[in-house]
Amino acid sequence: MDTDLLRRPPEEGARLIALSWLDQAAAAFPRLQDPGDTEALHDFRVGLRRLRSCLRSYRAYLEESLPKKLRRRLRDLAGSTGPGRDTEVQIEWLRGRSRHLGSYHRAGLAWIVGRLEERMRAANEEMSASLPEEFPRIEKDLRDRLSTYRTEIHLALPAPTLAEVTAGILRRQAMELESHLARVDGPEDEHEAHEARISAKRLRYLLEPFDLPEAISLVKSMKKLQDLLGELHDAHVLETELSESLQIAASERVRRLLEVTLSEAPDDALIRAERRRVRESGLLALARLNRARRNRLFAELEADWLEGRAAGFFEEAAAVADSLGGGGN
């Protein structure tokens, strides 16, 4: 898209942006059928995320085109693509820790990876069952509704441009991001760090369609922050997963040990083998590695973004908003 879009009415410009993100998702959709296309799901999800972010940012100018039911259908569709992909990311990180583990820890690694692989298969099967029918229907409904609109023109009032509207949205979203970052309370604060990640993503998606030279460094900074907070979120989620898995593994081991101990003909060798089959040590080792990752990522976040260290970034965002606001006159 070019900057000519910024001079258009917001009702028109917002719909053109939304349709471009819908095009991106639609282009990736047929590729989902190719098992060898490892980036298809990622590209499809990004298209949907950008579309939903656009619809949220310009909601006031798209309200009449998008009833709540259609928004919910799109939300649910996007949500169905997440669990499988997110679990795949966790599996990749865990497998990458194998070289850091002793042989006596790898039973725990194999066990949790197996659990996650089963979960990923189930999530992908569920997605595959609904996506082929649901996305084409949602795409058609969105195209039909976004391709036309009605508006009232008040001759006594100057009509705003997309640039002016976007400037206001940029200011609000930058304040939202700054507020979430200010409330991040430490490496264990999963909620505010995740909210900051979402805010950074929305801010980035707001600016990317326009290719503004003055926003290039701002978009790059947001991408870096988004990646950092994304990996921090992965570490938070995995810490919970490891904690729950540790409890399940210990419970399973004790139950199995009780079974072989109370069998009619107890086998001492089998009992000794069950006692040695300790997955928990591997899970604890993985938990330590993941905690170190979490603390390292938080230290990076703190050094660059917390306690007022991002003041330059927010000044730059304000300057871009000022530029956009003046560009529509």
Side-chain angles (χ1 to χ4, degrees):
M1 297 183 187
D2 56 44
T3 53
D4 176 65
L5 184 67
L6 291 167
R7 293 191 287 271
R8 301 193 186 203
E11 296 86 355
E12 178 185 354
R15 283 168 172 79
L16 289 171
I17 295 171
L19 286 167
S20 75
W21 296 142
L22 182 59
D23 288 342
Q24 180 177 322
F29 178 68
R31 294 164 47 204
L32 296 173
Q33 304 303 314
D34 180 3
D37 192 337
T38 57
E39 294 301 312
L41 180 56
H42 170 75
D43 293 344
F44 182 69
R45 290 184 69 201
V46 168
L48 291 181
R49 282 203 303 265
R50 286 174 167 160
L51 170 61
R52 294 186 66 223
S53 183
C54 173
L55 299 182
R56 180 186 182 278
S57 293
Y58 296 105
R59 184 167 187 164
Y61 301 92
L62 299 171
E63 197 77 48
E64 69 172 41
S65 297
L66 298 169
K68 289 182 179 179
K69 184 177 179 180
L70 181 54
R71 287 180 182 272
R72 284 196 300 267
R73 288 169 58 203
L74 179 60
R75 179 201 64 197
D76 293 345
L77 178 78
S80 73
T81 67
R85 178 66 178 177
D86 294 343
T87 304
E88 183 180 10
V89 170
Q90 301 287 16
I91 291 170
E92 288 176 0
W93 187 86
L94 287 166
R95 282 180 172 157
R97 301 318 103 194
S98 178
R99 64 183 182 275
H100 301 291
L101 300 176
S103 57
Y104 50 92
H105 287 151
R106 288 179 185 154
L109 173 63
W111 181 80
I112 190 172
V113 166
R115 277 172 49 83
L116 292 175
E117 285 178 335
E118 184 59 35
R119 185 185 303 169
M120 182 177 69
R121 280 192 292 270
N124 287 340
E125 286 173 5
E126 184 176 347
M127 180 187 71
S128 299
S130 61
L131 207 58
E133 292 185 5
E134 187 63 8
F135 176 72
R137 288 198 293 258
I138 290 178
E139 181 192 3
K140 182 180 185 306
D141 288 346
L142 285 170
R143 287 195 188 282
D144 290 345
R145 291 181 173 276
L146 290 170
S147 296
T148 60
Y149 71 94
R150 295 180 181 180
T151 189
E152 291 183 359
I153 298 176
H154 298 273
L155 297 179
L157 299 173
T161 63
L162 182 66
E164 292 166 327
V165 166
T166 301
I169 297 170
L170 172 57
R171 291 187 184 99
R172 290 194 297 274
Q173 291 189 350
M175 288 176 61
E176 181 182 286
L177 172 60
E178 189 171 18
S179 176
H180 285 305
L181 287 172
R183 291 199 295 268
V184 175
D185 196 31
E188 70 287 341
D189 191 344
E190 178 179 355
H191 175 74
E192 288 299 339
H194 183 53
E195 290 298 314
R197 176 197 177 202
I198 293 171
S199 295
K201 190 184 301 183
R202 288 171 178 163
L203 199 56
R204 174 187 162 208
Y205 290 166
L206 179 70
L207 287 175
E208 278 186 332
F210 307 115
D211 294 325
L212 298 170
E214 62 268 35
I216 291 175
S217 65
L218 193 66
V219 170
K220 286 182 179 178
S221 294
M222 283 184 285
K223 175 66 165 63
K224 183 178 179 181
L225 175 60
Q226 183 185 330
D227 289 345
L228 175 61
L229 289 169
E231 191 175 354
L232 181 59
H233 179 66
D234 290 341
H236 282 136
V237 171
L238 186 57
E239 182 152 321
T240 300
E241 178 68 42
L242 286 164
S243 175
E244 293 173 356
S245 295
L246 186 63
Q247 295 176 56
I248 293 169
S251 177
E252 288 183 355
R253 182 172 66 87
V254 171
R255 185 169 58 249
R256 174 61 178 158
L257 186 57
L258 182 63
E259 286 176 1
V260 297
T261 300
L262 298 180
S263 63
E264 291 185 5
D267 185 329
D268 290 341
L270 183 58
I271 293 172
R272 287 195 298 273
E274 287 297 331
R275 285 175 176 167
R276 289 195 300 270
R277 192 173 307 182
V278 182
R279 297 169 178 144
E280 296 94 299
S281 62
L283 296 176
L284 289 169
L286 289 167
R288 284 194 296 271
L289 290 171
N290 186 59
R291 175 61 66 89
R293 170 174 70 148
R294 188 203 73 174
N295 291 344
R296 172 181 56 79
L297 291 166
F298 180 79
E300 186 177 341
L301 177 69
E302 187 175 38
D304 294 339
W305 292 94
L306 304 185
E307 298 178 7
R309 296 182 181 93
F313 170 87
F314 290 108
E315 289 172 3
E316 189 177 354
V320 172
D322 291 343
S323 175
L324 279 169
N329 294 330

